[in-house]
Amino acid sequence: MTPKHRTPLILVSGLSPGANRDVTSLLRGDDQRAAVVHHDLRRISSGVVLRTVRLGPDESHTALELAHGCVSCTLREDLLPLLRSLSADPGVERIVLRLDESMEPEQVSWAIHHVLVGDRPVIEDVEIELVVTAFDAGSWLDSAIGDETLAEHGLLGAPDDERTLAQVALAQVEFADVLVSAGAPPDAWTAARTNAVLRRVAPAAPVVALPDLSNGSEAAEAAEPCGTARDRLLRMLPSHARRGEVEDPHGSLLRGEPPLRPDCGVAVAVFTARRPFHPGRLYDAIDVLLDGVVRTRGRAWIASQPDTVLWIESAGGGLRIGHLGAWLDSAGAPAWDDVSGERRTLASLRWDPAFGDRHQEIVVVTHDADPQHIEDTLRAALLTDTELAQGRQVWTCWADPFGQWQQDWQEDRQEGRQEGWQDDRQEGPRDSTERADVRASAHGEGNEK
């Protein structure tokens, strides 16, 4: 049976609207059969999304009124059906999807792969051939290490969106196959630090300057005299580029082999352990994953929830705590054959006679923090030998701040300007039905506990 043709799709993301627009224009080029789609979310707090579709000489603008203004509604109610419709149009050869500045490409890609439109997902109609993130070389680093919220920057993905710029900036570059640099850094030090951060959070993504993509530029002509901007970017892709595939959060946390040696004050700390965290001490230690930290991503095991894989993720001043389902050694765990081969392999290598595949693995990228201090602080939050000997029946009776994270954060850390919100994503890239996003402003006034 001949495989069904799928229309090539390119995702373009980034915080800089000008850079996004320029990259999208270059990727479309002069191809009259390339459709360009853009959803403007600036009025989403009023339940209105502005959609633009350009195909050939025609450009349409539509104001969409959504029952619940949010990124998820935009995806489900308009974007996914639109992609299917365009893929069925014989006049459309490929699609360039320019995401709003507040959107994360991983969420969009997950929806394309998994959300049903009718009786099947849209990935059966389109093929993601490239994910590009454009960034402003002069301002991206400040966004990635700051604690300014999207709302404070004039961006929103939902009326109650409390994400920080750092969370979005890092999510966009981490999921990209190629990074496009626009503008110029203010000085050599900023350029070097920006490069050091990018090499550690997106080590597999090649970086190209926006002018080098333009037809007629000296660099572009030397690299590929007859190629379009799309051709050049596709030729830059490494063989292991994900092309929109959402990776297993139970897999390796050091993909792309990021450099582990410090550079310009930017370093990578990898914390691992085989005994559980004490819930109270981990809660008290959590600020170590915020102060002077660019990015934290990791899996944790807390003694009070012995069957649950806890996900910890921070970016700049934003902290996210969530669940990744059950450990394979626990009751109610997924069947061995139902998880990825990578997870099975890692679990086999780590398997402990008493604790199975339970473990701690947290990767922290720092820009103004001592990796050894992070190591020492997290290790002090593990169970002592005496506590470990008490066993699970005692552990599960301990007070657990992570069980009612939002309420405890509000009550116990109100002076730190923390505000909790429930992630709007009803379907997300992780197998989590209980997931909270918490804004933790580590550098704000009144941060003292």
Side-chain angles (χ1 to χ4, degrees), residues 293-367:
V293 169
V294 179
R295 186 56 143 171
T296 299
R297 298 177 72 250
R299 298 176 292 269
W301 165 32
I302 58 174
S304 51
Q305 298 183 43
D307 292 339
T308 300
V309 186
L310 200 69
W311 177 259
I312 300 177
E313 182 178 296
S314 78
L319 179 68
R320 175 176 294 169
I321 303 291
H323 291 174
L324 289 181
W327 298 105
L328 294 178
D329 186 47
S330 63
W336 191 261
D337 291 338
D338 290 339
V339 301
S340 69
E342 182 181 23
R343 184 179 182 184
R344 291 196 300 268
T345 299
L346 292 175
S348 298
L349 293 172
R350 295 186 179 116
W351 202 268
D352 180 90
F355 300 132
D357 60 323
R358 296 172 180 83
H359 66 279
Q360 319 288 359
E361 184 173 6
I362 301 174
V363 177
V364 186
V365 179
T366 67
H367 73 96

Side-chain angles (χ1 to χ4, degrees), residues 239-259:
S239 59
H240 55 275
R242 67 172 75 189
R243 297 176 186 259
E245 289 288 339
V246 178
E247 295 175 341
D248 186 354
H250 294 279
S252 172
L253 297 176
L254 287 173
R255 293 189 184 278
E257 300 181 1

Side-chain angles (χ1 to χ4, degrees), residues 269-272 288 370-381:
V270 181
F271 177 83
T272 60
V288 78
D370 179 6
Q372 188 59 52
H373 174 64
I374 294 173
E375 167 80 20
D376 294 343
T377 302
L378 292 178
R379 200 153 296 282

Side-chain angles (χ1 to χ4, degrees), residues 210-258:
L210 179 59
D212 292 344
L213 286 181
S214 302
N215 285 321
S217 75
E218 183 177 344
E221 292 300 316
E224 183 60 43
C226 301
T228 65
R230 169 175 168 266
D231 294 332
R232 296 185 191 106
L233 290 181
L234 288 173
R235 288 177 183 274
M236 293 176 65
L237 287 188
S239 59
H240 55 275
R242 67 172 75 189
R243 297 176 186 259
E245 289 288 339
V246 178
E247 295 175 341
D248 186 354
H250 294 279
S252 172
L253 297 176
L254 287 173
R255 293 189 184 278
E257 300 181 1

Side-chain angles (χ1 to χ4, degrees), residues 376-441:
D376 294 343
T377 302
L378 292 178
R379 200 153 296 282
L382 297 171
L383 296 196
T384 64
D385 290 344
T386 299
E387 291 167 336
L388 194 65
Q390 291 175 338
R392 299 185 192 184
Q393 289 187 336
V394 173
W395 303 346
T396 54
C397 295
W398 289 342
D400 183 358
F402 297 96
Q404 297 180 335
W405 174 263
Q406 288 175 289
Q407 178 181 343
D408 289 347
W409 186 274
Q410 293 277 3
E411 294 176 354
D412 298 345
R413 304 195 173 200
Q414 187 173 4
E415 294 183 358
R417 294 197 310 155
Q418 287 86 353
E419 298 173 356
W421 67 290
Q422 186 66 39
D423 194 337
D424 179 72
R425 280 178 254 179
Q426 296 179 2
E427 306 94 353
R430 301 184 179 96
D431 54 341
S432 169
T433 56
E434 180 180 351
R435 178 174 172 177
D437 281 3
V438 180
R439 184 193 176 207
S441 177

Side-chain angles (χ1 to χ4, degrees), residues 121-142:
V122 177
I123 194 62
E124 295 187 13
D125 306 286
V126 300
E127 178 181 13
I128 301 176
E129 66 174 5
L130 181 64
V131 178
V132 182
T133 292
F135 69 96
D136 186 328
S139 62
W140 184 85
L141 182 61
D142 286 340

